[in-house]
Amino acid sequence: MADTIVILTGAGISAESGLGTFRDTDGLWSKVRIEDVATPEAFARDPARVQEFYNMRRAQAAGAAPNPAHHALARLQRDHPGRVVIVTQNVDGLHEAAGATVLHMHGALDRALCAACDHRWPAPAEMRPEEPCPACGAPAGRPDVVWFGEMPHHMEEIAELLAAADLFVAIGTSGQVYPAAGFVQEARLAGVETLELNLAESDVSAAFDRHEIGPASEIVPDWVDRVLSGGRARG
C-alpha cells in the first residue's frame, strides 16, 4: 500500500518568497503587538487599525510568488503514488499558486468573514473598517483569518489525518504555536514516522525522529526528489 504523507507548513516556507516570519528577532511580532491587530478584542476596539494591518499583508502576499519549496510540494502531491495532504498555518496563497491543494488551518488573506452571520466571500484588496457583509448587510466584515484566542479550522480532519499517516513532515515551523506545535506528538502517539525540515531547530525538534536543516528552497526540493525517485515517503 502506498504511503500517506501529511505535511505541515509554517511561515518559514514562504520566507524566501519575501513574506516575513513572525517570531524571529526581526519578525512581524517584533514590529507590531499581537494584542493590537490579531485578536477579536483588537478588532472590536479598533477595526480600522486591524483592517489596515491585513490590507498591508494582503498586498504583500498578492505580490509574492511561490518559491522552489512550494513548487516541490505541489509536484510531490501530483506525482506521489500515495496520498499527500498539505496542512498550512500560512494565510498566503502560495501553495495554491504553485498548483497544490491545501488545508488552511489559520484561514486565508484573500477571504473575508462576517462577524455577524459567519458568511464568507472573496476579500477585496482593501477592506474598510465597517466592511458590509454581502449576505446580511451588517458592517461586520473582517479578514477570514484565525486570530489568537480562536479555534483553527479543520482540527477534527487533521487529527484523523495524523492518526492515519505513514509519515508526518513539518516544514518551516517554529514549534511555538499550538495546536500545530503538538501535531508531532499526536503523530508519534499513533506510531507515525516524523521528519522536520527547517532552517534551524524549532522548539519541538527533539520530538521528531529525523531532521534536515537548511533553507526550504533547497532542502524541500531535495527531499521531494528522494521521495519520488525512491518510491517511498521516507526519502
Side-chain angles (χ1 to χ4, degrees):
M1 182 176 177
D3 292 302
T4 296
I5 310 172
V6 176
I7 300 169
L8 171 69
T9 65
I13 198 170
S14 294
E16 291 176 78
S17 293
L19 301 182
T21 56
F22 293 86
R23 296 173 183 275
D24 294 334
T25 51
D26 61 344
L28 193 57
W29 299 140
S30 69
K31 300 178 176 67
V32 63
R33 295 198 325 150
I34 291 170
E35 297 86 349
D36 292 336
V37 295
T39 67
E41 294 78 14
F43 185 65
R45 184 173 59 248
D46 193 348
R49 181 173 186 180
V50 173
Q51 295 285 31
E52 181 182 9
F53 175 74
Y54 283 95
N55 287 341
M56 176 270 294
R57 291 193 63 198
R58 193 177 297 110
Q60 289 177 336
N67 64 55
H70 296 104
H71 286 293
L73 292 185
R75 180 163 55 92
L76 178 66
Q77 199 172 55
R78 182 184 68 244
D79 295 345
H80 182 60
R83 187 182 185 193
V84 177
V85 180
I86 302 170
V87 178
T88 188
Q89 296 172 276
N90 299 338
V91 293
D92 61 60
L94 295 182
H95 281 301
E96 291 92 336
T101 300
V102 300
L103 292 176
H104 280 272
M105 62 180 296
H106 290 165
L109 286 168
D110 63 358
R111 303 290 296 173
L113 167 68
C114 179
C117 74
D118 290 335
H119 177 68
R120 287 178 164 84
W121 68 97
E126 292 193 3
M127 295 183 69
R128 295 171 286 170
E130 296 183 345
E131 187 72 26
C133 171
C136 72
R142 52 163 278 188
D144 188 10
V145 298
V146 176
W147 287 329
F148 289 88
E150 297 180 328
M151 179 61 68
H153 304 320
H154 311 296
M155 290 309 298
E156 289 187 11
E157 182 178 357
I158 293 169
E160 293 174 359
L161 288 166
L162 290 171
D166 296 293
L167 175 67
F168 169 66
V169 186
I171 301 172
T173 65
S174 67
Q176 296 178 345
V177 179
Y178 285 83
F183 288 175
V184 61
Q185 296 291 359
E186 291 184 49
R188 287 179 65 97
L189 287 172
V192 177
E193 184 180 353
T194 59
L195 168 66
E196 183 179 50
L197 305 176
N198 225 343
L199 184 62
E201 287 194 358
S202 72
D203 281 18
V204 293
S205 286
F208 286 86
D209 295 317
R210 296 187 294 117
H211 314 268
E212 295 185 22
I213 302 298
S217 63
E218 297 177 10
I219 63 173
V220 174
D222 180 66
W223 172 70
V224 168
D225 285 344
R226 284 181 278 130
V227 171
L228 293 178
S229 64
R232 288 178 55 80
R234 275 72 180 165

